Structure formats: structure tokens, C-alpha cells
Amino acid sequence: MTVATPASHGSSAPRPVVRTAAGALRGSREAGVAVFRGIPFAEPPVGALRFAAPLPVRGWSGVREAVAYGPPPPQAGLFGMDALARDAAGDDWLTVNVWSPEADRGAGLPVMVWVQGGGYAFGTSGLPEYDGGRLAREGGVVVVTFNYRVGIEGFAQIEGAPANRGLLDQVAALRWVRDNIGAFGGDPGRVTVFGQSAGGGSIAALLSMDRAEGLFRRAVVQSMPGTFFSPELAEDISAACAAELGLRPTVGDLSGVAPHRLPAAGDAVGAKSGQWNGRWGRAAHRGILFSPVVDGEVLAATPWQAVSAGAARGVELLVGHTRDEHRLFAAVDGLLGAVDEEQAGSALDVFAPGQDGARRYREAFPAAGPEELYERVHSDWLFRMPTLHLAEAHAAAGGCTYAYELTWPAPGMGGALGACHGLDVPLVLGTLDRGQPAALIGTPPSPEAEELSGRMRAAWTAFAAEGDPGWPAYDTRQRLVRLFDTRPAVAPYPEDASRRIWENHPFSPMPLRQ
């Protein structure tokens, strides 16, 4: 993976300049859109601020150049993200990027703030697939992306540090949007957050956080993970990561460690996480080391608990997932077409809910072979049922809720990946020909892919503008959802058999098993 660089536009038009609370910025103009990259929204969280809550950025004099993405925060090694972070200069990790069709014109456009995923362990806003230019230009919205701390820096439970620092970074970025987006032509009263995977899980957490209240009006949650940790589990995992370095999980011990060494320690623990199956449970089985922690202060409850109690009743919510969420992970693990009965049985025993979950899966899908059962239970536990439960909780609490499922099969890899996890990202952002997701779409993108992307972008921007994506609201009686495929349709939720298996599962904070 490489961080995108600003496109050369060859235009003689003057470069756009805006004035923010901290100082003036000079951006670039690309394909008719004003673009500002690498704007700091908080002080660099290093030195005395290592593992601290983000502090507002100090101002500057003169005009600051805003044409290059800020450096990524330290990254886990998956997809070469660790090298990407090490090769970047500087420690100004906490930066935002803005694409605006109407910068400095007081246009009052809807604002869409993207929160990227990455398993809470990697991810940076400078990846090519997160470019907001097309969505801004064709959708008439201001698009914002930003970095937040991940892995040990952002989510490890460290003695002497606030929990969920990555979530606190997100709140700080949204406060920056509230205070500054008017200068870029955006309306701070019409902010929509949208994000996928860990980005969707982060938004679900924000829905339940008092300190995020009022910072956005609408939210789009795409394929949210169901993993939220208890403090005890998070502390145990953090202790294992620190022990890789011969240290304790305290600010005093870890603050002097070079930033790139911490993700490496996490990767080492992840590679042998199976030895902690008995203590970490499902998290160890999946090698999941970082998730938001229900610590009682930053995050007082899981999103499902908080939303059920009405925490986000006034926020309009669009929520959905892909049909074949787990297929991508099966491919990464070399298991496509290779799952045997023993592996399927083990997956059902570990991940199906309740004491009779495995039996219920086999009864609900009597014709399913080992691979289908393996994929279904993983897809349901990881993303599909957590996402559905958020829609159910929001609708039941009286919130305005819309739901969808992406069923269009990705043409990449001969169609073997189906409608897999992450396929929605290039379709929603319109970045069909760039970054790693381009391999899912195929090069060049087909007219079919372009048409589907256009429909999804139109739905997302309509929701951001007016709160209505163009299909009936979701309720707990009819359960109507929009199916995104070559032929769009509105139908009852397609995964109802799984819904029934999981309907009483609480998705409580994941415990430490003693």
C-alpha cells in the first residue's frame, strides 16, 4: 500500500485559501474541487503527550501549506502498513483532510466525515481508496477524512492513560469539524459520519458517548464488528503485548518505546494468540487484540445497550453490511474451497451463540456443507448480526433507521469473493480504480460497477443532505432493507434465519476467562 499524493491539475486558477480557528491554510484545486490535506486537529501525541487524550492544536502565523497527507499513526503489519508508517516523516499523526466543491463561499453544504476501518490496529486516511474528491464533486457535499490512533497507541488498556484514545481522537476531529467546516463551505449543523468495519464500530461507539453528543446529525454504519472488550480482557491483552518488550502496560514503561516497536509487539502476540484461547476466548480465536473498551468512563456501555436505552434516538441512522462478509478473510487464510467438517464444527462450537447455537445453525441450513456453515457463522458473529442488532435497537427505541445489504458479487478473483467485506468502500466513495479494493472491482471498472457505485453514492449523499436514502425506513415488524445489486430491490431482510438464531444474543463486553 502507498499513500496517495495530490494529483497534478495543471490549472492556472489561484490555489484556494481558507482561514480556520488555528490559522490560514492553502490547499490545491483538483478536478474542480478544493482540497486541503494534512491539517492538524490536535497536538502530536508524542513525548509528554504520549498516550494522553488529544489536546487542541496550537495556532500558527502566516499561511500553512495543506497539500500533503499527514503521516500515519503507527500501524500493524498487515498489508505492509507498518512499513508505510515507518517510511513517513514526522509525528503529526492527528490530521484531517477536506474536499469541498465550494470552499470559502459559505455555501452551507452537507458534510460527510469518513472514519476508516482496519481492525482498530491499522488504517490511515491517506490511502488512495479514501480519496474524497469524486464524492464531493458529484454529490455536492464536503468530505472530511482524518487519522486516529490505532493499536496499542489508540486502544490498549494502559495504566495511567485514558481508555479508548482512538475514540477520543475521533471526538476531537469532529469538534474540529464543528468549529471550522464553515470556512470550507460546509454546514456544521448537517454533519454525517460514515465508516466501515472498525470505522463503523467506532461510529456505533460514538452514538453512545456523551462527549460525542451534538457533533453529528446523521450516521452511516457499514459492517460494524461486534467486538467490544471488558477492561479485564483489554488489560490482559495489553500485558501480553508489553511483555513482548519486557515491560509492563503502563505509561511509564511504554512512553519511551519507539512508536514503530509497539505495533510489532502486537503483531507478535497476534501471531501466537491461539495460546490464549482459554483466557481471551473468541478474541484469541480470531487474533483480535484491540477493540473499544467498555471502561465506564469514555465508553459507559456497548452501543447496543446505549442505543436500546435511547442514547441516539435523535440521530438518523443508515446501517448495513455485505452478504458474504467473511469470504475475504477465508481467502487471506487460504481456506476458500478448503474448509472441512472438523473446521466447520469447531467454528460453530466457538462462535455460534448459546449452548445450542451449533445445532440451530445445522437445523436452519440443512443443505449447507462445511464451507457454507463456516462462512455463515463467522460472517454473522463478526459483522452481520452486530450490524443488524444496531438497526433493531435504534428502530425499537424510536429512532429513524434505514438498512441495506450489498449483494452484488465482486468480479475480482473470478468472482470467488462474492459480496465480501470491504467491497462497499470503493462503491460508496467512487474510488473504483485505486488502492487495494480495486482488485475486488476489476480493472478497468465495468459499467455495472460504475452504475452500482453511482446508486450507492446517490443514496449516501441524499441521506447526508435530507435524512432519506430513498427507500422505506426499517422497523422490527416488516424489516425492509435495500438490496444493492445489478437490479436494486427493497425486500425483507435476507438473513432472517441467522437473525432468529442470534435474536437473543446480547453482544456483551467480551470477558476475560480466568
Side-chain angles (χ1 to χ4, degrees):
M1 279 184 169
T2 57
V3 173
T5 55
S8 60
H9 46 81
S11 171
S12 58
R15 291 168 55 195
V17 175
V18 300
R19 298 192 179 277
T20 69
L25 298 162
R26 181 183 291 111
S28 58
R29 197 169 297 278
E30 301 168 19
V33 175
V35 186
F36 300 82
R37 295 179 171 91
I39 308 166
F41 66 84
E43 286 294 295
V46 296
L49 300 181
R50 189 87 177 271
F51 306 117
L55 291 182
V57 66
R58 290 171 291 182
W60 58 84
S61 59
V63 180
R64 181 183 180 121
E65 292 295 312
V67 295
Y69 291 114
Q75 304 278 305
L78 197 63
F79 304 124
M81 294 295 291
D82 53 344
L84 177 68
R86 282 199 307 271
D87 291 344
D91 51 22
D92 215 354
W93 303 334
L94 303 181
T95 58
V96 302
N97 318 291
V98 181
W99 290 260
S100 174
E102 300 285 348
D104 204 24
R105 296 186 185 179
L109 296 176
V111 181
M112 298 185 69
V113 182
W114 173 251
V115 186
Q116 73 268 354
Y120 306 105
F122 65 92
T124 179
S125 61
L127 297 179
E129 53 264 39
Y130 301 147
D131 186 282
R134 187 176 187 185
L135 191 63
R137 182 175 61 254
E138 298 182 12
V141 297
V142 176
V143 177
V144 179
T145 66
F146 64 92
N147 288 345
Y148 60 94
R149 283 172 285 181
V150 292
I152 293 175
E153 300 283 350
F155 289 96
Q157 194 80 345
I158 297 174
E159 183 181 332
N164 299 303
R165 296 170 298 281
L167 296 179
L168 295 177
D169 293 345
Q170 294 171 20
V171 171
L174 289 168
R175 286 175 176 162
W176 182 93
V177 169
R178 178 195 62 194
D179 297 340
N180 294 282
I181 206 63
F184 299 85
D187 181 352
R190 284 203 293 170
V191 174
T192 297
V193 287
F194 69 127
Q196 182 265 353
S197 196
S202 294
I203 292 171
L206 293 172
L207 289 171
S208 65
M209 292 169 57
D210 290 342
R211 66 191 72 202
E213 188 174 355
L215 294 177
F216 53 90
R217 182 173 175 180
R218 301 182 177 108
V220 185
V221 173
Q222 304 171 209
S223 302
M224 73 167 287
T227 53
F228 283 75
F229 286 175
S230 67
E232 296 78 15
L233 175 61
E235 288 167 3
D236 210 59
I237 293 174
S238 297
C241 293
E244 284 290 319
L245 301 169
L247 300 172
R248 299 168 301 157
T250 66
V251 169
D253 273 21
L254 297 180
S255 59
V257 178
H260 71 271
R261 292 186 62 204
L262 293 185
D267 289 344
V269 172
K272 55 187 178 183
S273 62
Q275 73 184 55
W276 285 284
N277 285 351
R279 289 178 64 81
W280 302 347
R282 290 165 167 169
H285 281 278
R286 290 296 313 188
I288 298 171
L289 302 185
F290 306 106
S291 283
V293 181
V294 183
D295 67 311
E297 183 177 347
V298 176
L299 192 60
T302 67
W304 307 280
Q305 291 173 311
V307 170
S308 292
R313 188 181 294 117
V315 176
E316 294 155 319
L317 180 65
L318 171 59
V319 61
H321 57 71
T322 71
R323 182 188 60 201
D324 308 307
E325 288 280 5
H326 189 259
R327 193 107 28 116
L328 176 66
F329 301 96
V332 171
D333 293 339
L335 290 175
L336 273 184
V339 176
D340 58 29
E341 179 58 42
E342 182 180 354
Q343 289 168 311
S346 176
L348 290 171
D349 289 341
V350 171
F351 295 104
Q355 294 184 343
D356 63 344
R359 175 188 60 80
R360 295 186 68 188
Y361 263 95
R362 293 188 184 277
E363 289 179 353
F365 306 102
E371 184 149 19
E372 181 181 346
L373 289 169
Y374 183 89
E375 180 180 317
R376 281 188 180 276
V377 72
H378 277 293
S379 292
D380 287 342
W381 177 74
L382 274 168
F383 302 111
R384 297 198 308 189
M385 294 304 106
T387 304
L388 176 70
H389 279 212
L390 189 68
E392 295 259 322
H394 193 254
C400 181
T401 314
Y402 296 90
Y404 74 91
E405 181 172 311
L406 175 59
T407 58
W408 180 68
M413 291 185 63
L417 296 182
C420 66
H421 188 69
L423 179 60
D424 51 330
V425 172
L427 293 171
V428 166
L429 290 167
T431 53
L432 304 180
D433 59 351
R434 62 191 70 182
Q436 289 201 336
L440 301 176
I441 302 293
T443 305
S446 66
E448 182 182 81
E450 288 284 4
E451 183 180 355
L452 177 59
S453 175
R455 286 200 299 269
M456 295 188 77
R457 283 183 280 118
W460 266 237
T461 54
F463 179 73
E466 304 295 341
D468 184 353
W471 63 87
Y474 184 89
D475 61 49
T476 55
R477 183 174 59 87
Q478 292 183 298
R479 295 189 170 88
L480 296 179
V481 304
R482 175 69 180 268
L483 304 181
F484 281 102
D485 210 321
T486 51
R487 293 184 178 181
V490 174
Y493 182 61
E495 318 305 335
D496 197 62
S498 291
R499 181 191 68 80
R500 292 177 182 275
I501 294 171
W502 288 84
E503 62 184 341
N504 295 319
H505 184 72
F507 282 104
S508 301
M510 300 175 72
L512 174 67
R513 299 175 177 178
Q514 299 293 352

